[in-house]
Amino acid sequence: MSPRPFPPRLFPRRSTPTQLASPRARSVETWHYPLRHHNYRIFVALSLVGSGGVWMQRLAQDWLVLQLTGSPAAVGLAVALQFLPMLVVGPVSGVLVDLFPKRRILVICQSVAAALAAGLAVWNAMGGSDVWVVYAACIALGVTSAIDGPARQVFVNEVVGDAGLPAAIGLNSAIGQLGAMAGPALAGVVIAQAGPAAAFAANACLGVAVLVMIAAIRPGELHHSPVVPDPTARKGRVLAGFHFVRARPRLLLTMLLAGLLGAFGMNGPVVLAAFADRVWHSGPAGFGLFNTVSALGALAGALVATRIKRFGRKGIVASAGLFGLTQAIAAVMPTQEWFVAMLVVVGFMTLVFLTSAATAVQLEAGAHVRGRVLALYFPLLLGGHALGGLLAGWLTEDFGVRTGLVVTGALGMASAVVIGLLMWGSGRRRVQP
């Protein structure tokens, strides 16, 4: 009897850099291999601190807007202003990432982010109360993040080289998303104890720490890849990313699913603030608790996701559906204790989905266009998050906190079903004669 074939992979093997490697090289795709590199250990630390700091800044801005206006809809606008710039800057930032040294880009972006946090800390400590100042800071952070995100992801290749790239991408995606969960948790605790100004000041310190860690990376141990000819350069460097993604339906659908889940599921700042303020009446302390337990679930999800070498399309779609389902269940929990318990599950499914989707997208992207593909992926994910903030704010304002979370969770499940059917149809068309 012939052995049972493995299920089809989400993307063809030819796109994986380790396909031309020896069996010994392929064996390094375990998650712990990249951590043997000094530079990657530094990089993981700066990714965790940097990502956590950015999300700490975002949550502090959201909470400050809620304090100044008392309106969840205003918080939704703040969330949108943080992420909508990525839709404009994203494609151009991908060209910058592909053309210029990634390490230099990271230094510039982190310097700007640290200065922005320090400025808000001083302004808020001096009693500033004009909400437009916070909105302007949201826009500036959005522009900076649109450049920093793709640069950080592409820099992974230079840190570990091709042999450890698949494992490093998965681990780095998990670490980045874990920072996105841990940052708001830390911000909630700091805000509850000392106010938003202290959270801004703490993030400025984290930004300086990231700059120190970037300086600790050893340039002589970096794997500088040779310049790869860009076959799509004649079509325009900005449009090259669009052409690359459009020619790969499953890649496009994976990115679209991430954008939809960003819109319908990643609305934590709005929803958790509203639950703490209007449902459980636990204030900043409850807000910090909710973000903390979500981060614990995210940590578990990161550990699980990094041990799974590859997700097929079924795994990505299933994790997306469960992501939406767990949010809807959390919305109807009868007590705060049960709500907190469900937030752990929500955090877990968030990381499993985001890590699997980001890993699949990066492994499919060619070396000559990886920065531009990621510069499209992040605006879709975080731009969807911006629109989701507006949607969650509107639903919460007009229909209630619980109803808003149930609706967005249901929309997330529906997105997973639709994208899953489209992926299945795409696969059937490819195998037909």
Side-chain angles (χ1 to χ4, degrees):
M1 179 182 295
S2 60
R4 184 179 179 181
F6 288 102
R9 298 182 184 276
L10 177 59
F11 300 118
R13 277 186 173 273
R14 65 176 180 274
S15 62
T16 304
T18 55
Q19 296 309 305
L20 300 179
S22 64
R24 180 180 180 277
R26 288 194 297 269
S27 69
V28 304
E29 293 184 15
T30 54
W31 67 270
H32 55 80
Y33 171 78
L35 294 175
R36 299 176 185 176
H37 297 260
H38 164 83
N39 281 348
Y40 189 73
R41 292 194 297 270
I42 299 294
F43 184 78
V44 164
L46 73 87
S47 293
L48 180 60
V49 174
S51 177
V54 168
W55 283 95
M56 185 178 185
Q57 177 89 0
R58 287 169 176 159
L59 184 136
Q61 292 172 167
D62 296 340
W63 187 261
L64 182 57
V65 169
L66 184 62
Q67 281 187 333
L68 295 176
T69 65
S71 170
V75 178
L77 176 59
V79 173
L81 292 176
Q82 292 174 54
F83 297 110
L84 286 178
M86 295 185 180
L87 298 177
V88 178
V89 180
V92 178
S93 71
V95 176
L96 296 176
V97 171
D98 283 335
L99 292 180
F100 294 99
K102 287 69 175 175
R103 188 178 184 181
R104 185 182 305 169
I105 293 175
L106 293 179
V107 170
I108 294 173
C109 290
Q110 286 300 316
S111 299
V112 171
L116 181 64
L120 277 178
V122 174
W123 174 80
N124 186 237
M126 294 178 64
S129 58
D130 296 321
V131 71
W132 68 266
V133 175
V134 187
Y135 287 154
C138 291
I139 295 173
L141 183 64
V143 173
T144 304
S145 299
I147 301 172
D148 178 81
R152 188 179 303 174
Q153 295 294 330
V154 176
F155 190 53
V156 175
N157 196 6
E158 296 186 8
V159 173
V160 301
D162 285 347
L165 184 59
I169 286 175
L171 182 58
N172 192 60
S173 298
I175 290 295
Q177 298 301 334
L178 180 58
M181 302 296 289
L186 178 60
V189 174
V190 174
I191 291 171
Q193 298 297 321
F200 293 134
N203 183 39
C205 295
L206 292 178
V208 174
V210 170
L211 290 172
V212 172
M213 285 185 277
I214 294 176
I217 291 178
R218 299 169 182 169
E221 296 180 10
L222 292 176
H223 300 262
H224 296 288
S225 302
V227 178
V228 179
D230 187 349
T232 57
R234 293 181 180 178
K235 300 177 182 178
R237 293 189 179 275
V238 174
L239 295 179
F242 289 99
H243 289 295
F244 186 89
V245 173
R246 188 181 64 180
R248 292 157 178 81
R250 291 187 182 179
L251 173 60
L252 176 60
L253 290 172
T254 301
M255 295 172 65
L256 180 59
L257 180 59
L260 291 171
L261 265 291
F264 301 139
M266 298 170 202
N267 42 39
V270 179
V271 171
L272 296 183
F275 264 93
D277 186 53
R278 297 189 175 187
V279 177
W280 309 121
H281 308 290
S282 51
F287 190 39
L289 172 64
F290 300 158
N291 283 283
T292 300
V293 296
S294 297
L296 291 176
L299 175 60
L303 294 175
V304 170
T306 53
R307 295 190 66 87
I308 300 176
K309 291 183 179 180
R310 304 189 191 284
F311 276 84
R313 65 180 185 274
K314 292 181 181 178
I316 293 177
V317 171
S319 62
L322 290 173
F323 178 26
L325 176 62
T326 54
Q327 283 199 326
I329 294 175
V332 298
M333 288 292 100
T335 66
Q336 180 172 272
E337 290 74 18
W338 279 107
F339 178 73
V340 167
M342 277 305 303
L343 287 181
V344 177
V345 184
V346 172
F348 178 90
M349 292 311 308
T350 301
L351 257 292
V352 171
F353 168 71
L354 289 176
T355 301
S356 61
T359 302
V361 169
Q362 291 190 65
L363 290 180
E364 173 70 358
H368 66 280
V369 77
R370 183 169 291 142
R372 279 161 284 182
V373 171
L374 290 175
L376 296 176
Y377 173 73
F378 283 110
L380 270 176
L381 177 63
L382 299 178
H385 183 77
L387 298 176
L390 292 174
L391 175 63
W394 169 66
L395 290 172
T396 299
E397 193 85 13
D398 292 350
F399 299 98
V401 181
R402 292 184 184 273
T403 301
L405 189 55
V406 168
V407 170
T408 54
L411 289 173
M413 288 186 285
S415 300
V417 171
V418 172
I419 295 297
L421 291 174
L422 290 174
M423 284 187 177
W424 179 72
S426 174
R428 290 193 64 188
R429 286 193 297 271
R430 289 182 64 183
V431 300
Q432 288 177 351

